[in-house]
């Protein structure tokens, strides 16, 4: 009877540690953060911290997996059986870009970019926690459109990459270089054009 309470207490402690780690990593980056400082910020002992996470890398990867956006991942293709692709792709593109520019996502991405040459596993974790999921799910939807004859898409995974690249169209680069901050109007404009170009390229020729 006590197991659920213990489990809840354990999860609360884990979230407490994650909150402390989030503060330290965002303030200092990955390399300058220490497990000692994370434990102090989280209000736990180092022993307790290591009971939950055996290394700084493990903790940071866990943060990436919990914090990085998973927007832009469409529901299962079956939910779109009778829906035209244009509004579905528009929604997916908007979710994708809005997730990429969300401040928390941007902060983690910059931390990873600063450390990825020395710690490539951080980049791999960032990719696996969000972008790879989005690509996989969109490719499943595109495969569904191909199988039902709505579009002609011989390589759905490549097409998913192409679609997200069309939606981006320089927004992320300009944001990262502090050239321009993306607006909702700019996002919607980019996605609208991306959907038109994408459908034009993959609509079967009669």
């Amino acid at each position: 009877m006590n197991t659920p309470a213990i489990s809840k207490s354990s999860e609360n402690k884990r979230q407490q540690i994650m909150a402390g780690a989030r503060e330290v990593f965002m303030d200092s980056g990955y390399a300058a953060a220490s497990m000692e400082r994370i434990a102090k910020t989280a209000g736990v002992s180092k022993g307790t911290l290591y009971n939950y996470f055996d290394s700084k890398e493990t903790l940071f990867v866990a943060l990436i997996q919990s914090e990085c956006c998973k927007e832009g991942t469409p529901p299962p293709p079956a939910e779109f059986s009778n829906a035209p692709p244009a509004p579905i792709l528009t929604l997916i593109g908007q979710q994708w870009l809005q997730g990429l520019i969300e401040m928390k996502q941007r902060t983690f991405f910059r931390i990873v970019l600063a450390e990825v040459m020395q710690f490539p596993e951080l980049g791999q974790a960032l990719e696996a926690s969000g972008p790879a999921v989005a690509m996989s799910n969109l490719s499943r939807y595109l495969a569904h459109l191909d199988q039902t004859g709505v579009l002609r898409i011989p390589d759905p995974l490549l097409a998913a990459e192409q679609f997200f690249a069309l939606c981006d169209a320089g927004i992320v680069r300009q944001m990262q270089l502090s050239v321009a901050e993306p607006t909702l109007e700019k996002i919607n404009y980019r996605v609208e054009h991306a959907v038109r170009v994408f459908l034009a390229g993959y609509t079967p020729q009669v």
Side-chain angles (χ1 to χ4, degrees):
M1 295 295 293
N2 292 331
T3 303
I6 294 173
S7 178
K8 183 176 180 180
S9 174
S10 178
E11 178 58 25
N12 288 342
K13 184 65 69 176
R14 187 176 189 274
Q15 291 305 315
Q16 180 182 340
I17 292 170
M18 297 274 276
R22 184 185 305 111
E23 180 179 339
V24 173
F25 283 127
M26 287 190 170
D27 179 62
S28 304
Y30 179 81
S34 68
M35 292 292 269
E36 182 176 0
R37 183 180 169 196
I38 290 170
K40 183 177 180 180
T41 303
V44 300
S45 68
K46 285 183 67 176
T48 298
L49 175 57
Y50 279 105
N51 282 339
Y52 285 83
F53 300 98
D54 60 10
S55 68
K56 184 173 68 170
E57 175 195 330
T58 302
L59 177 50
F60 188 70
V61 169
L63 262 183
I64 289 176
Q65 292 170 340
S66 67
E67 299 285 353
C68 288
C69 78
K70 295 181 175 60
E71 283 86 353
T73 57
E79 295 187 24
F80 302 128
S81 295
N82 300 314
I88 299 301
L89 290 172
T90 298
L91 178 60
I92 291 170
Q94 290 170 342
Q95 290 177 332
W96 169 257
L97 283 180
Q98 289 168 9
L100 288 180
I101 67 174
E102 196 272 330
M103 186 56 66
K104 194 160 48 180
Q105 170 80 348
R106 290 161 64 171
T107 301
F108 272 100
F109 190 72
R110 284 168 175 162
I111 291 172
V112 170
L113 282 182
E115 308 293 345
V116 73
M117 293 301 292
Q118 186 173 358
F119 305 101
E121 60 275 8
L122 300 183
Q124 294 161 11
L126 180 62
E127 170 72 10
S129 69
V133 175
M135 298 298 170
S136 176
N137 286 353
L138 177 56
S139 71
R140 289 172 54 230
Y141 173 55
L142 297 179
H144 168 75
L145 295 177
D146 178 72
Q147 291 161 7
T148 54
V150 176
L151 298 177
R152 179 70 182 97
I153 306 178
D155 190 336
L157 187 57
L158 173 60
E161 294 274 8
Q162 292 170 335
F163 176 71
F164 285 133
L166 284 170
C167 290
D168 179 353
I171 282 183
V172 173
R173 184 193 73 247
Q174 292 175 8
M175 178 188 68
Q176 291 171 345
L177 297 177
S178 299
V179 173
E181 279 293 310
T183 63
L184 185 59
E185 181 181 9
K186 183 181 291 186
I187 286 174
N188 291 341
Y189 181 76
R190 289 287 207 284
V191 172
E192 177 187 345
H193 282 260
V195 170
R196 286 210 297 264
V197 171
F198 185 83
L199 291 179
Y202 282 108
T203 297
Q205 300 298 314
V206 178

